[in-house]
């Protein structure tokens, strides 16, 4: 179709607004012209720029006159509304989008949105936004939960959460819809998107949602040119947000949609207001007072249910703001969204209710309701997960040293001990850690109890008939620390960047790392760090982090020749890149593999054993128990263990080599034995004289080896690598006939089999011996399991394609904790490929089991297991304790591309449960469930655990070492 001017009518008009952004404008326009939907037009609206933006826009139009048009406003409007409104008038297409000059469109955005719009008949289509942080180069998604699935929404009441999607730029609008409702942006005010989008969502008969990114929002790194949305330090910014919110309220009321106010209010509180709350720590009392004057009157009129939906810490902050307690607002703001940071003080009344702050609010008031933090269960949290607060005070240089006073607020009583002051006498060690890109400097310190009249302490006043305590049952402690930055390890090329010290507390083998908050009024401290030799040293600044919680921040900058080299190297272009590539080759695995082969010229050490468990994860799995049997017997072997990260799980005195290091290569080449439970890196060959024992790490439920899609459907080179890896194995432990039928066959293994149980399961079979009972008790102590509580271990496996997402934790932990009550404590042990954090409100009932390198500690300490498809169920059967299967996604999991060897219902040792309610019911009636499943459990043990005798470590040493020395 063509217009009267002979131009073809485009399918989509993209309105690009610009003001003094000549450098970025071409990239924005090119992102439109490069769309896979070619029938697009670009309408550039210049808001009367004073740089070269208009000339740049004209050149772009001249280069593609059929698709690019330019118009210029007669005067600068001071915002985005006027140029966008002008663009709406100029647009010729039946569909339109908005684009800012500093942003870009992904290549398929227009086409994918248009196809969705035509298919669904929606008034507009909205899609995901990629936020690109230019300073770091990282990206994030805009409210990803809103865009999880492709869907069509029949009006905003069907999905009121889309009020959070208030951007105008991630949407394709029908021009007829905009014209019919006379949609325009409000002029003379910022945050115009919010009113425009609220009206669009409310008026739309139908809108569609797509889950892919359709807009790239670039967040500039230049602090001298903050965007409107990032200029929250300006009161005008606050005034405009409130004004736009009032305009939305008026529109909802006038259009007969007042019932949508709670949803809109919830969005305002959780998005707009929350942005400012997080900044209040860095605002002075004057600014905060002006902020309160602008916001509190509006907040007082919001829907009560919206206010009630706020997280407790935000309600506390709002209450302090309302009462003008601005110094306390700053304290509270530093902990928002950071459940590990405690309030400085908390008080408890005679009824057992706990409140934020150093004084009790009047009973029965709104203030009491807002400040009530009883739900945090401060004093019921474990050492590793409870709230604590570390603040640096009195920072001062002392020659080359930095001296500071650390004040630790412990309202939860995590550090309380019988001696009155936390210390080694109570099993507590305390250190300050700080690194500069390498190993950390660890500075030990000792606490002393803060005196009541010291600055920063407070005594709670309790009304008559109540009991008030400072810090609930905890207290405050101080420590004097002298930090010598010269001792922080630096690499040869030095270091440039930011690092934040952490306070590391350890008790009974359980550690926690917490941030160190800086004084908010800290003036930057500067020092020069000399460096031996001609390369010069570093400049170091110590400041308060200007975001988040305001941590103490150390900023290194190279000096002398180091700085010159760092500045010049990138300018060398190809030479610099080639040098870096050569350096990688000289330290990479291929060269190390070649060197390992050359080291075969040296004689094999027939008494050297390399142990490795789970790719260097630590001292665990079957290799641990084989090693302990060698040591117990006093056999003439020297053991060296491989590690990949944390070394804390290894016993003192055990020789270690870092996996992949040159020492690792030398050990591989010289060792007479390799003992491993997963896989020595494939790049390293095994010399013929070395014997390799593969213990593997469990039985197989899901497909393994060449039965998996990545090997079954992958290229021949990938299959060859796997065949070569398996061919290195000289002996493989086969814990059951089923293992031989599945795992052995699937990996094409044809070597020697040790038909015995897994050495790691010996302690499970012998769980009733004193040593194992003591180990279980120690694990319960580390987890701080209350006396009399039973332990429910929840250990799900990962899902292919969802590694690191946390989506494998499928049980509703809040419902589970509430349903089980006071009798049980739940310990969650996610797969190593997944992530997990205990929700702060559940710390009284849920524990994080990731701190245990050897899962046997948790198995021994537990009374029942909840898993899904994890091979842990096969090991747990050796204990003879109940196994429950939470398999709400069984059809999806078993029918996926990975697949399983068994129909789980045919072999299950316990009930397969699909809801948390069913799980609660099963645990609460565990004796009955155990009886009903006794026969199935016995069949399961006979099928998969019949070779577990509790003497497998001895059997393996007998047959592999004493009977098979090289």
């Amino acid at each position: 179709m063509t217009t009267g001017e002979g131009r073809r009518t485009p399918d989509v008009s993209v309105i690009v607004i610009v003001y003094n952004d000549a450098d970025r404008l071409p990239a924005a326009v090119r992102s439109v012209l490069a769309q896979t939907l070619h029938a697009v037009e670009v309408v550039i609206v210049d808001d009367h720029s004073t740089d070269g933006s208009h000339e740049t826009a004209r050149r772009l139009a001249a280069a593609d006159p059929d698709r690019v048009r330019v118009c210029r406003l007669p005067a600068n409007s001071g915002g985005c509304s006027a140029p966008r409104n002008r663009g709406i008038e100029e647009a010729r297409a039946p569909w339109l989008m908005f684009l800012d000059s500093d942003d870009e469109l992904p290549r398929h955005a227009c086409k994918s949105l248009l196809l969705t719009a035509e298919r669904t008949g929606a008034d507009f289509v909205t899609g995901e936004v990629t936020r690109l942080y230019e300073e770091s180069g990282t990206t994030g998604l805009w409210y990803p939960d809103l865009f999880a699935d492709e869907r069509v929404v029949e009006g905003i009441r069907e999905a009121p959460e889309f009020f959070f999607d208030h951007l105008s730029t991630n949407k394709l609008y029908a021009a007829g819809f905009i014209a019919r409702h006379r949609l325009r942006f409000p002029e003379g005010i910022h945050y115009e998107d919010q009113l425009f989008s609220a009206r669009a969502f409310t008026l739309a008969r139908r809108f569609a949602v797509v889950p892919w990114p359709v807009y790239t929002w670039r967040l500039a790194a230049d602090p001298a040119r903050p965007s409107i949305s990032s200029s929250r330090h300006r009161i005008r910014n606050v005034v405009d947000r409130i004004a736009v919110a009032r305009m939305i309220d008026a529109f909802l009321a006038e259009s007969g949609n007042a019932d949508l106010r709670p949803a809109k209010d919830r969005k305002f509180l959780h998005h707009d207001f929350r942005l400012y709350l997080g900044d209040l720590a860095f605002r002075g009392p004057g600014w905060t007072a002006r902020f309160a004057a602008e916001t509190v009157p509006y907040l007082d009129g919001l829907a009560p249910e919206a206010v009630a939906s706020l997280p407790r810490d935000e309600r506390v902050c709002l209450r302090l703001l309302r009462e003008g307690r601005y110094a306390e607002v700053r304290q509270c703001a530093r902990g928002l969204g950071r459940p590990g940071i405690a309030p400085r003080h908390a008080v408890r009344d005679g009824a057992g209710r706990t409140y934020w702050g150093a004084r009790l609010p009047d009973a029965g008031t709104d203030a009491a309701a807002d400040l009530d933090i009883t739900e945090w269960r401060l004093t019921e949290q474990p050492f590793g997960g409870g709230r604590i607060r570390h603040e640096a005070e009195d920072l001062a240089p002392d020659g080359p040293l930095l001296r500071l006073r650390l004040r630790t607020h412990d309202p939860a009583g995590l550090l309380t001990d019988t001696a009155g002051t936390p210390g080694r006498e109570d099993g507590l060690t305390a250190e300050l850690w700080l690194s500069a890109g390498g190993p950390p400097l660890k500075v030990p310190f000792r606490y002393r109890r803060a005196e009541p009249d010291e600055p920063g302490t407070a005594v709670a006043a309790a009304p008559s008939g109540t009991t008030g305590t400072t810090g609930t049952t905890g207290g405050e402690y101080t420590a004097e620390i002298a930090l010598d930055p010269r001792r922080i390890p630096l690499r040869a090329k030095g270091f440039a960047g930011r690092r934040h010290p952490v306070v590391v507390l350890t008790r009974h083998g359980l550690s926690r790392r917490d941030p160190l908050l800086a004084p908010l009024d800290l003036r930057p401290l500067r020092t020069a760090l000399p460096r031996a030799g001609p390369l010069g040293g570093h400049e170091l600044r110590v400041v308060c982090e200007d975001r988040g919680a305001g941590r103490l921040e150390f900023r290194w900058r190279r000096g002398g020749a180091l700085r010159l080299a760092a500045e010049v190297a990138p300018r060398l272009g190809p030479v610099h890149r080639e040098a870096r590539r050569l350096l990688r080759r000289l330290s990479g695995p291929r060269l190390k593999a070649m060197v390992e082969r050359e080291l075969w010229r040296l004689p094999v050490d027939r008494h050297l054993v390399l142990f490795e468990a789970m790719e260097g994860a630590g001292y665990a799995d079957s290799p641990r128990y084989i090693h302990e049997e060698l040591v117990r017997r006093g056999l003439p072997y020297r053991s060296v263990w491989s590690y990949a990260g944390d070394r804390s799980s290894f016993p003192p005195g055990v020789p270690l080599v870092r996996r992949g290091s040159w020492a690792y290569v030398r050990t591989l080449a010289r060792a007479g034995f390799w003992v491993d439970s997963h896989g020595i890196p494939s790049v390293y060959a095994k010399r013929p004289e070395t014997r390799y024992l593969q213990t593997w790490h469990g039985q197989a439920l899901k497909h393994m080896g060449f039965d998996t899609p990545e090997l079954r459907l992958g290229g021949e080179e990938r299959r060859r690598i796997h065949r070569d890896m398996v061919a290195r194995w000289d002996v493989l432990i086969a814990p059951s006939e089923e293992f031989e039928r599945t795992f052995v066959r699937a990996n094409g293994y044809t070597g020697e089999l040790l038909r015995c149980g897994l050495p790691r399961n010996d302690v499970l079979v012998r769980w009733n011996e004193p040593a194992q009972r003591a180990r279980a008790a120690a694990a319960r102590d580390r987890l701080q399991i209350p006396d009399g509580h039973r332990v429910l271990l929840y250990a799900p496996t990962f899902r292919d394609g969802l590694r690191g997402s946390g989506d494998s934790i499928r049980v509703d932990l809040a419902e589970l904790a509430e349903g089980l009550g006071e009798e049980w404590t739940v310990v969650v042990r996610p797969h190593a490929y997944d992530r997990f954090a205990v929700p702060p409100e559940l710390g009284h009932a849920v524990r994080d089991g990731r701190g245990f390198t050897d899962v046997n500690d948790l198995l021994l300490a537990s009374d029942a297991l909840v898993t899904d498809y994890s091979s842990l169920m096969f090991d747990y059967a050796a204990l003879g304790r109940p196994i429950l299967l939470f398999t709400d996604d069984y059809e999806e999991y078993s029918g996926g591309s990975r697949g399983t060897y068994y129909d789980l219902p045919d072999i299950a040792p316990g009930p397969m449960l699909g809801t948390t309610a069913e799980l609660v019911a099963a645990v609460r009636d565990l004796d009955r469930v155990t009886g009903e499943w006794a026969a199935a459990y016995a069949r399961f043990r006979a099928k998969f655990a019949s070779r577990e005798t509790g003497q497998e470590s001895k059997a393996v040493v007998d047959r592999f070492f004493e009977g098979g020395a090289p």
Side-chain angles (χ1 to χ4, degrees):
M1 177 179 178
T2 58
T3 66
E5 299 175 353
R7 287 184 177 180
R8 184 180 184 277
T9 301
D11 293 327
V12 175
S13 295
V14 180
I15 299 163
V16 182
I17 64 171
V18 61
Y19 175 69
N20 286 357
D21 199 15
D23 292 339
R24 294 176 181 266
L25 178 61
V29 172
R30 283 196 297 270
S31 76
V32 181
L33 299 180
Q35 290 290 300
T36 49
L37 178 71
H38 190 72
V40 296
E41 74 162 352
V42 180
V43 179
I44 304 175
V45 184
D46 173 28
D47 196 11
H48 206 82
S49 297
T50 57
D51 68 347
S53 295
H54 186 58
E55 290 72 19
T56 299
R58 293 182 64 181
R59 286 195 296 271
L60 291 167
D64 196 341
D66 290 335
R67 296 198 296 163
V68 182
R69 293 185 291 130
V70 181
C71 55
R72 176 176 168 87
L73 299 188
N76 178 249
S77 68
C80 300
S81 295
R84 284 180 180 157
N85 289 339
R86 176 67 180 275
I88 293 173
E89 296 169 1
E90 296 287 338
R92 297 182 297 119
W95 297 91
L96 59 87
M97 292 187 70
F98 301 102
L99 176 65
D100 293 344
S101 61
D102 55 347
D103 298 331
E104 297 173 16
L105 296 183
R107 191 161 184 262
H108 302 290
C110 290
K111 186 173 185 177
S112 64
L113 289 170
L114 181 59
L115 289 174
T116 302
E118 293 176 341
R119 175 173 54 81
T120 62
D123 292 318
F124 64 86
V125 184
T126 182
E128 182 59 278
V129 175
T130 299
R131 293 157 59 91
L132 173 60
Y133 300 88
E134 293 184 340
E135 181 177 14
S136 63
T138 58
T139 60
L141 297 178
W142 169 263
Y143 285 110
D145 290 348
L146 294 178
F147 302 98
D149 300 298
E150 189 171 3
R151 60 189 295 198
V152 176
V153 181
E154 303 292 339
I156 189 65
R157 285 176 178 80
E158 185 179 294
E161 64 272 17
F162 274 91
F163 275 125
F164 281 86
D165 178 25
H166 62 241
L167 301 179
S168 64
T169 48
N170 62 326
K171 300 173 179 65
L172 176 75
Y173 305 88
F177 169 70
I178 288 180
R180 185 165 61 254
H181 295 288
R182 300 180 181 177
L183 283 174
R184 294 294 186 273
F185 294 90
E187 299 186 14
I189 194 170
H190 295 316
Y191 303 106
E192 66 291 327
D193 274 27
Q194 300 207 14
L195 177 61
F196 185 91
S197 296
R199 293 185 65 198
F201 274 118
T202 304
L203 297 171
R205 172 182 52 85
R206 173 186 301 149
F207 64 89
V209 182
V210 296
W212 52 83
V214 300
Y215 192 85
T216 302
W217 180 3
R218 304 181 71 94
L219 300 168
D222 185 2
R225 297 184 60 188
S227 65
I228 293 171
S229 59
S230 61
S231 300
R232 296 191 298 269
H233 60 288
R234 298 173 180 168
I235 287 294
R236 164 69 190 278
N237 188 292
V238 180
V239 171
D240 280 358
R241 278 197 192 261
I242 297 294
V244 165
R246 293 187 185 278
M247 294 169 73
I248 296 172
D249 296 340
F251 160 72
L252 293 175
E254 293 165 2
S255 62
N257 292 290
D259 62 299
L260 293 174
R261 267 293 301 271
K264 171 260 150 192
D265 289 349
R266 188 175 186 277
K267 176 265 174 186
F268 177 84
L269 287 168
H270 287 264
H271 179 86
D272 302 86
F273 185 63
R274 176 62 178 83
L275 291 173
Y276 293 101
L277 282 185
D279 295 338
L280 289 181
F282 307 99
R283 307 283 184 251
W287 194 98
T288 304
R290 294 174 64 193
F291 173 75
E294 294 293 339
T295 58
V296 169
Y298 181 70
L299 296 171
D300 288 341
L302 298 185
E305 58 266 43
V307 177
S309 73
L310 285 174
R312 177 58 58 178
D313 53 0
E314 294 179 27
R315 289 185 64 183
V316 169
C317 208
L318 176 54
R319 170 52 53 185
L320 298 173
L321 194 68
R322 280 175 165 150
E323 295 185 2
R325 296 159 62 177
Y326 302 140
E328 293 174 87
V329 167
R330 300 182 84 190
Q331 295 175 25
C332 184
R334 302 183 83 170
L336 292 178
R338 302 174 184 92
I341 298 180
R344 284 184 176 176
H345 307 291
V347 291
R348 179 182 293 163
D349 66 13
R353 309 298 300 179
T354 304
Y355 299 90
W356 196 97
R359 65 175 188 267
L360 285 170
D362 293 335
T365 62
D366 290 341
D370 289 338
L371 299 176
D372 189 334
I373 58 172
T374 306
E375 65 192 50
W376 289 354
R377 297 177 180 257
L378 284 177
T379 59
E380 302 175 49
Q381 307 297 315
F383 172 78
R387 297 176 185 245
I388 204 164
R389 186 186 191 103
H390 303 291
E391 296 183 351
E393 300 177 340
D394 301 329
L395 277 79
D398 181 7
L401 304 179
L402 176 65
R403 296 191 181 276
L404 62 89
R405 172 182 290 181
L406 170 67
R407 183 178 296 275
T408 294
H409 300 268
D410 179 28
L414 299 174
L415 306 184
T416 302
D417 66 349
T418 55
T421 302
R424 296 183 184 276
E425 299 81 3
D426 196 48
L428 180 79
T429 60
E431 295 176 318
L432 184 72
W433 287 15
L434 179 61
S435 72
L441 171 67
K442 302 178 181 181
V443 183
F445 62 86
R446 291 181 68 91
Y447 279 118
R448 69 180 180 87
R449 185 176 288 277
E451 298 299 328
D453 58 349
E454 286 190 47
T457 63
V459 177
S464 176
T466 65
T467 300
T469 60
T470 300
T472 311
T473 59
E476 291 183 38
Y477 308 94
T478 62
E480 304 296 330
I481 300 176
L483 177 66
D484 187 349
R486 298 171 300 176
R487 295 178 53 215
I488 300 173
L490 291 171
R491 297 172 180 169
K493 63 181 180 180
F495 176 72
R498 307 178 182 189
R499 289 293 186 270
H500 306 93
V502 293
V503 178
V504 180
L505 303 177
T506 303
R507 172 174 277 161
H508 303 312
L510 188 63
S511 295
R512 57 176 298 147
R513 301 182 186 185
D514 298 287
L516 176 59
L517 304 183
L520 291 170
D521 57 355
L522 176 64
R523 293 187 176 183
L525 305 174
R526 302 172 186 266
T527 187
L529 300 178
R531 182 185 181 92
L535 296 181
H538 290 74
E539 299 171 6
L540 176 65
R541 297 179 72 217
V542 183
V543 301
C544 175
E545 182 185 30
D546 58 2
R547 67 190 71 180
R551 296 172 295 177
L552 191 63
E553 181 171 279
F554 285 66
R555 298 178 182 175
W556 279 267
R557 185 183 183 192
R558 295 183 181 93
L562 282 172
R563 179 179 175 185
L564 180 63
E567 292 176 349
V568 170
R571 302 172 189 171
L572 297 178
V575 176
H576 176 61
R577 289 193 295 272
E578 187 59 34
R580 293 183 63 185
R581 188 179 299 112
L582 178 61
L583 183 62
R584 286 195 298 268
R585 287 178 179 174
L586 291 176
S587 60
R590 291 186 180 277
L591 177 62
K592 290 177 178 175
M594 294 172 58
V595 171
E596 188 228 0
R597 290 295 295 264
E598 290 300 313
L599 289 173
W600 289 8
R601 298 173 184 270
L602 300 174
V604 69
D605 187 338
R606 297 176 180 273
H607 296 94
L608 177 60
V609 186
L610 174 70
F611 285 95
E612 182 171 298
M614 297 299 293
E615 300 177 301
Y619 191 60
D621 218 319
S622 290
R624 166 183 173 171
Y625 299 94
I626 296 170
H627 170 254
E628 290 178 349
E629 179 64 15
L630 285 177
V631 173
R632 187 189 68 80
R633 293 194 194 184
L635 295 177
Y637 292 98
R638 292 182 297 106
S639 300
V640 175
W641 273 83
S642 156
Y643 75 94
D646 186 10
R647 295 179 288 179
S648 62
S649 64
F650 293 96
V654 173
L656 303 176
V657 291
R658 181 171 55 82
R659 193 173 195 256
S661 67
W662 285 109
Y664 181 74
V665 172
R666 290 194 301 271
T667 306
L668 283 174
R670 298 295 310 281
F673 297 92
W674 294 356
V675 180
D676 164 51
S677 69
H678 190 277
I680 302 293
S682 61
V683 71
Y684 300 113
K686 181 184 71 67
R687 64 192 299 168
E689 306 98 308
T690 299
R691 282 174 58 80
Y692 185 173
L693 171 63
Q694 175 58 256
T695 71
W696 203 242
H697 51 273
Q699 304 254 11
L701 175 68
K702 53 196 171 191
H703 285 162
M704 305 295 290
F706 292 104
D707 290 341
T708 62
E710 55 264 32
L711 288 179
R712 188 176 70 251
L713 305 176
E716 178 54 35
E717 176 64 13
R718 191 167 188 175
R719 290 193 290 271
R720 182 195 64 76
I721 292 173
H722 189 76
R723 279 194 297 269
D724 290 347
M725 285 185 65
V726 172
R728 296 179 303 175
W729 304 347
D730 294 296
V731 180
L732 171 65
I733 293 178
S736 69
E737 291 184 4
E738 289 300 312
F739 185 85
E740 296 180 40
R741 187 180 68 83
T742 56
F743 181 90
V744 174
R745 177 199 54 77
N747 284 282
Y749 177 74
T750 58
E752 180 184 349
L753 293 175
L754 283 185
R755 291 182 170 89
C756 63
L758 294 175
R760 74 179 185 191
N761 290 343
D762 287 351
V763 296
L764 304 182
V765 176
R766 306 201 309 267
W767 65 267
N768 205 26
E769 294 180 358
Q772 317 319 328
R773 286 186 172 276
R775 187 170 170 181
R780 288 176 63 94
D781 286 344
R782 278 187 61 183
L783 292 165
Q784 291 187 264
I785 306 297
D787 291 342
H789 275 221
R790 303 172 76 184
V791 174
L792 182 66
L793 177 61
Y794 176 38
T797 190
F798 69 96
R799 269 63 174 169
D800 287 317
L802 295 176
R803 296 189 184 192
S805 67
D807 288 346
S808 296
I809 309 296
R810 304 185 65 84
V811 170
D812 185 327
L813 295 176
E815 183 181 349
L816 179 62
E818 181 179 2
L820 296 184
E822 299 296 325
E823 182 182 354
W824 290 85
T825 297
V826 179
V827 177
V828 179
R829 171 66 173 231
H831 193 278
Y833 292 159
D834 219 334
R835 63 178 175 85
F836 171 72
V838 176
E841 68 276 9
L842 298 180
H844 65 289
V846 178
R847 302 289 189 266
D848 188 344
R850 291 175 303 166
F852 292 81
T853 303
D854 192 335
V855 73
N856 276 350
D857 293 297
L858 298 176
L859 301 184
L860 289 166
S862 66
D863 295 282
L865 171 70
V866 178
T867 186
D868 41 25
Y869 320 107
S870 171
S871 62
L872 205 62
M873 71 176 80
F874 302 110
D875 300 323
Y876 202 77
L879 273 169
R881 298 175 189 173
I883 299 173
L884 307 173
L885 303 174
F886 191 83
T887 52
D888 65 322
D889 62 341
Y890 176 67
E891 296 300 326
E892 176 183 353
Y893 187 90
S894 61
S897 60
R898 179 71 174 264
T900 60
Y901 287 117
Y902 308 96
D903 289 330
L904 190 55
D906 294 342
I907 65 166
M912 296 176 61
L913 309 166
T915 67
T916 303
E918 292 176 357
L919 175 59
V920 169
V923 176
R924 291 180 67 88
D925 201 3
L926 195 57
D927 290 341
R928 177 190 60 80
V929 171
T930 301
E932 290 179 355
W933 284 86
Y937 197 103
R939 290 193 296 271
F940 184 82
R941 291 187 68 175
K943 192 179 188 73
F944 298 105
S946 61
R947 294 176 180 173
E948 304 291 355
T949 67
Q951 305 295 323
E952 310 310 326
S953 300
K954 294 180 181 180
V956 169
V957 170
D958 287 342
R959 296 161 63 182
F960 183 71
F961 286 96
E962 296 198 323

